Amino acid sequence: GRTGGSVVAPAATTNGKGKSSLGYELKMSQADIDEAVKGLPDLSVRVTMQAGTERAFTGKTVNGYGHDNKEDGVYVSAVSGLPLFDSKAKFDSGTGWPSFWAPIAPDHVREIKDTSIFFMPRVEIVDAKSGAHLGHVFNDGPAPTGLRYCMNAAAMKFVPRSEFEAMSKE
């Protein structure tokens, strides 16, 4: 990870209205981000705000689901609550981090070139609403995309499908 202060990327809007393709708000003020981070575990703050990485095979979501969780549901940002990944796109990559072959919606995540390891350029994935660091994407994933979104469990909250569907009807 990087050291120093917050390295959170400013959130971007994609359609000028500040709403995502699924109708979610994509704007979040710094004050709202600061408030959201207050209640998170230290590791989650280090991961999301300083681009840290949890140890392989140890990760838990902010609400206690393990990195290898196989329940049906949706992974949302621990900082903004924005839906990020559907469990239907999750696969066991053998890496010890939650891995997905696609985000729930392309405009819910943003890609940033990461050259923090000079011999290994990577593509960082951040929450499009808060700019919180989530992990990285690699091109060694399964069909249909060939991508592996390698995420930190500590940057997400798992919402069982029935709860998620009830929330999205509100």
Side-chain angles (χ1 to χ4, degrees), residues 69-75 85-91 99-104 142-144 158 161-162 165:
N69 176 34
K70 291 176 179 38
E71 289 187 41
D72 184 39
V74 175
Y75 291 81
F85 297 95
D86 193 301
S87 64
K88 289 179 169 66
K90 192 170 191 272
F91 69 99
S99 298
F100 306 86
W101 46 262
I104 199 162
F158 178 75
R161 182 136 349 250
S162 56
E165 288 172 353

Side-chain angles (χ1 to χ4, degrees), residues 77-132:
S77 169
V79 176
S80 72
L82 187 68
L84 301 169
F85 297 95
D86 193 301
S87 64
K88 289 179 169 66
K90 192 170 191 272
F91 69 99
D92 182 358
S93 64
T95 62
W97 286 283
S99 298
F100 306 86
W101 46 262
I104 199 162
D107 59 350
H108 282 212
V109 297
R110 281 197 345 196
E111 296 185 358
I112 298 172
K113 189 176 175 187
D114 176 357
T115 55
S116 61
I117 303 175
F118 78 93
F119 58 87
M120 193 174 95
R122 301 178 294 176
V123 178
E124 178 185 13
I125 298 298
V126 300
D127 161 6
K129 183 173 179 177
S130 70

